[in-house]
Every structure is written in structure tokens, then in C-alpha cells.
Amino acid sequence: RGSPRATRVFEQLYSIGDARPDLVGLRNQALSCSIQDWQAEDARRRVHREAAEQSVKEENQTEFAKHKNAIRSGGDLGWLRWIADVYFNAKNGSPYERLVDALGEENASAAIDGLIAVLRRDDLPAFDEVVQIASKGQYFQWWYAIIAGLDEKWNQGIDLASVNERLLESALAIDLLHPTSYRDANSIKQIERGWKSAAFKARASLALDVYLKIARMKLEQKREHVDGLHELLNNEAFAPYRREMTVQLLRDYPNASSFRLGQLLESAIAIADAHGDLVSFARKVLDGSVAVDSNNHDMWLATAYLVSPEEFSSAVRIRATDQPGLVWLLRDFAGYDHGNPTKDALPLNIAQLKDIAQMTAQNFPNCSHPPSAWWGDQNAWDGSDFVRGLINQISASPSEEATTALA
């Protein structure tokens, strides 16, 4: 929008054409632009598309009216699947606004009633059924109506205690395995559900059983993506169960995909009273009693050394000579970032700091960062940063042991 002065000047210039007939044509030409062929074609396509969309809406509304009673009672699963699809469509606006746009306000209210009525059906899938079907990479789309119905009931102020165990287990499983999202500006974010958060707090053991069974199913299949594992290892609601759960998962899946095994080992390292069980099982892995892949063997070795350095110092030094990448496992599992300990870093004693610094320096001689761009965090200069960070840690200690280590 122009400033007041610019507006006045424009009006003055425009009025000149009214007083000068010889300038009218030039003025009009300057204030207009011809429509290009592609612009006209684009406008025609847009009008055609909008007319087609309106026709589909009218047809849907007509068909909806024919089945309204069955929909409102939660009986027409075909329509309820379609309603749930509109409800969770990641376009702008609320779920209700999207339904109003698609069906009209009166029909939208009936659609919401139908979603809630789904929760009263006697053929809702059991939790085990949801997991069994998911193990084959399958699901039923109408299940989203269950999640939408529970969302609506929660928005109406439902007491979680009134939700029966079978429904809550299934809903938690469907939400975990088949999450829904919404648009936030230019990004898509996963929907956070109030009833799920409440279930984590008030019915944590039930939520734990759901998430643990699904995680086990994915670990059994050696999947790279293990639904539920992040929550099991990080959500505060599961903290009371984390030690026993993590140790048992490591015993049952010692050769899981490397990334997921790393998550489990890092979690166990952070739990001090799990170290005894962790080392005990690590011995079986390292002596070959429990077979694992070579990369996973190194993960177990790095873990064993970090929690029991005296016992595994010799083994880790020998392995680092042949496999320089072992130092990155030590760095990451110990909680170091670019050579410096993070706030959650594992406390390392002076002997460990010295050992790891020597192993790293042996494989990655001192060098500077390159002047150009680079990628990754396992380059030679990353090794140099790590060594310097370890030396700084030793230097910060006033102990005689630290002074000797630096000599």
C-alpha cells in the first residue's frame, strides 16, 4: 500500500490524462497489462477445477444425507473411514472446519456424532489384532475413526477412567503405529493427544505394555525404525520401569539393528544400577557365547569398557588398533559432542580419559579443520577435537593422578 504522499502524486498524474485527451491512451496503456495466453489458460483450469470440486462436494453431501442415520450411529464404516480421512487431512483449519467445508454444517455435526459412536461398537479391534496386522505391514483405514472419536470425546471433557482397557490399548497402538499430523505454517507436525498424555500419567503400566509389545515386534523383525522405543527410553512416565525394561530388551535383542542397539546401550549406560547386569551380559557377548555382528560386538565392547574400565581396558585398546571407529563409539556413548562433554555425559575417571585420548590420538593425529565445508563428525579433525577435549578434562582435575597422566 502506497504512502499518503505517493497516493496524492498518483492522483495528480492520473488527472492529467483527463485534461489532455492526447495522453489518455498513453495513461491507460501504462496502467494496464495484457493477459498472456498461459495466464488465461491457468485461469480456465482453475475455474474448471473449482467447479469440479464443488460438484464433488454437492454429490458427497447428497450421498451423506442418504446414509446419515447409519453414519450417526457409527454403523457405516465406509463413510466413517472417509470422514476420518477428512478429519485428519493436514490442511489448514480445524478438523470440524474441514468437515463443514466438505459436508456442510449440519452434516458435519452428524459426522462428529458418528465418530464418537464408533467407540461403542462391539467389533473394535483388540490390541493383539492391531499388532498382528501391523507385523504384516497392514492396517484398516477405518481405524482412524477410532482415534478421531476418542479425540472428540476428550475435547468434550471425558474422564479417562471411563475409557475401558480394551479401547485404550487399541487406541494407543493405532496412534503409535499410524500417527496423524497437522500443518503448522510450512511444516507438518505429529498430533499430540491429550488422552494419550493422560494415559501415560494415570495408566502408565497399560501404556508400557502397549509400547513394549510393539517395540518388541519391530526389534524381532530387526527394523531400522522401532515404533515406541524412543518413548520407552525417554518418556518420564516409564522411568520407574526403565532399568528392568532396558536390561531385558538388551538380553532379548543383543544383535538388534545397530542404531537401535546403540539407543538401548546408551540408555543402559545412563542407569548406574543397571551396570552390573549390563557387564554380566556383555561378557557373554564378548566371549562369543552370544553371537552378534561385528559392528554390534564393538558396541558391546565400548559399553563394557565405559562401565567397567579396569576389566575391559586391554580388550578395548587392542580392538581400537585394528578398528579406529571404536573411538567414535566411546565418544558417543560417553556423551561427548565435538570433543566436549554434554550435560548428560558419563563421568569418566582419569584413567579412562587418558586411555581414550591415547587411543584417539593414535588413530587421528592432530590436525585443523579444513577451510572449506565438510560433513559428518568422524573426520580426522573431529578426532583432534575429541583428544583436546579429553586433555582439557584431565587438566581441570587438581589430582596427582591427573598431573601424572599429563606428564
Side-chain angles (χ1 to χ4, degrees):
R1 183 178 178 86
S3 66
R5 179 177 180 278
T7 300
R8 288 196 303 273
V9 171
F10 174 81
E11 292 173 349
Q12 291 170 0
L13 291 173
Y14 187 88
S15 64
I16 294 175
D18 296 332
R20 296 276 304 274
D22 57 316
L23 295 179
V24 171
L26 183 62
R27 181 192 67 182
N28 293 341
Q29 182 179 359
L31 296 177
S32 65
C33 59
S34 59
I35 298 176
Q36 302 296 316
D37 290 343
W38 68 268
Q39 292 173 313
E41 180 60 27
D42 184 62
R44 283 192 291 270
R45 283 197 298 266
R46 184 172 61 254
V47 170
H48 179 74
R49 183 177 64 252
E50 291 173 352
E53 290 175 351
Q54 182 59 34
S55 177
V56 169
K57 283 184 183 180
E58 292 173 358
E59 182 180 346
N60 284 338
Q61 291 172 12
T62 299
E63 289 299 312
F64 184 98
K66 296 177 183 178
H67 301 86
K68 183 181 289 188
N69 290 336
I71 295 169
R72 176 169 266 147
S73 66
D76 194 323
L77 291 182
W79 266 104
L80 289 162
R81 178 205 59 76
W82 183 89
I83 291 167
D85 185 57
V86 174
Y87 188 95
F88 288 125
N89 191 306
K91 292 181 179 178
N92 294 328
S94 69
Y96 182 72
E97 289 170 341
R98 291 192 288 270
L99 287 173
V100 169
D101 180 61
L103 295 170
E105 191 161 357
E106 181 180 347
N107 288 340
S109 296
I112 294 295
D113 291 342
L115 292 174
I116 295 173
V118 166
L119 305 180
R120 299 191 293 270
R121 291 180 64 100
D122 57 10
D123 62 347
L124 295 179
F127 166 55
D128 288 339
E129 181 185 355
V130 174
V131 175
Q132 181 183 21
I133 293 175
S135 70
K136 303 173 185 177
Q138 301 172 345
Y139 71 100
F140 290 100
Q141 287 185 307
W142 75 266
W143 288 352
Y144 283 114
I146 300 172
I147 304 302
L150 203 49
D151 285 354
E152 284 299 317
K153 286 293 287 182
W154 182 259
N155 292 338
Q156 292 177 6
I158 187 178
D159 182 356
L160 190 67
S162 67
V163 179
N164 67 70
E165 183 173 305
R166 175 189 170 97
L167 172 58
L168 187 56
E169 283 181 333
S170 298
L172 285 170
I174 294 168
D175 175 73
L176 175 59
L177 290 164
H178 314 291
T180 53
S181 57
Y182 68 97
R183 182 177 296 279
D184 181 17
N186 293 323
S187 62
I188 300 295
K189 297 182 178 179
Q190 189 167 319
I191 294 174
E192 296 292 335
R193 306 197 136 82
W195 57 263
K196 182 173 76 172
S197 299
F200 277 22
K201 293 177 181 178
R203 300 168 81 169
S205 61
L206 181 148
L208 174 71
D209 290 343
V210 170
Y211 275 60
L212 191 53
K213 185 163 187 174
I214 291 173
R216 281 183 170 278
M217 180 260 290
K218 294 299 180 78
L219 287 167
E220 192 74 38
Q221 297 175 336
K222 295 199 74 170
R223 297 286 186 88
E224 284 299 325
H225 178 70
V226 177
D227 298 286
L229 187 60
H230 175 79
E231 290 84 356
L232 289 169
L233 300 182
N234 295 279
N235 194 289
E236 186 62 29
F238 301 137
Y241 314 95
R242 189 156 295 132
R243 178 199 174 283
E244 181 180 353
M245 172 192 65
T246 304
V247 169
Q248 192 58 54
L249 286 175
L250 284 168
R251 285 174 177 158
D252 293 343
Y253 307 101
N255 198 34
S257 67
S258 294
F259 186 77
R260 301 309 164 189
L261 178 62
Q263 281 185 292
L264 287 166
L265 290 171
E266 287 187 61
S267 178
I269 289 171
I271 304 172
D273 62 353
H275 289 181
D277 290 332
L278 190 59
V279 170
S280 178
F281 191 78
R283 293 190 188 104
K284 297 178 181 180
V285 173
L286 299 176
D287 69 15
S289 299
V290 176
V292 298
D293 298 338
S294 176
N295 190 52
N296 286 355
H297 177 278
D298 287 348
M299 287 187 170
W300 278 101
L301 177 57
T303 299
Y305 169 75
L306 289 172
V307 300
S308 184
E310 293 184 4
E311 180 177 353
F312 296 97
S313 177
S314 177
V316 82
R317 278 181 167 276
I318 293 171
R319 182 60 175 166
T321 301
D322 298 327
Q323 182 53 262
L326 183 62
V327 301
W328 305 126
L329 292 174
L330 293 170
R331 177 196 64 182
D332 295 343
F333 284 6
Y336 277 67
D337 180 38
H338 293 92
N340 298 307
T342 64
K343 64 181 180 65
D344 298 318
L346 182 71
L348 300 176
N349 61 42
I350 297 299
Q352 284 178 297
L353 292 168
K354 178 182 176 182
D355 279 351
I356 298 173
Q358 289 178 336
M359 286 185 283
T360 307
Q362 168 187 310
N363 290 293
F364 301 98
N366 187 36
C367 68
S368 302
H369 287 232
S372 57
W374 70 87
W375 64 276
D377 63 351
Q378 297 184 6
N379 303 292
W381 48 89
D382 295 308
S384 297
D385 285 346
F386 189 30
V387 172
R388 283 191 285 271
L390 294 167
I391 292 174
N392 288 339
Q393 288 287 295
I394 298 173
S395 300
S397 172
S399 68
E400 183 177 345
E401 183 184 9
T403 301
T404 302
L406 292 170

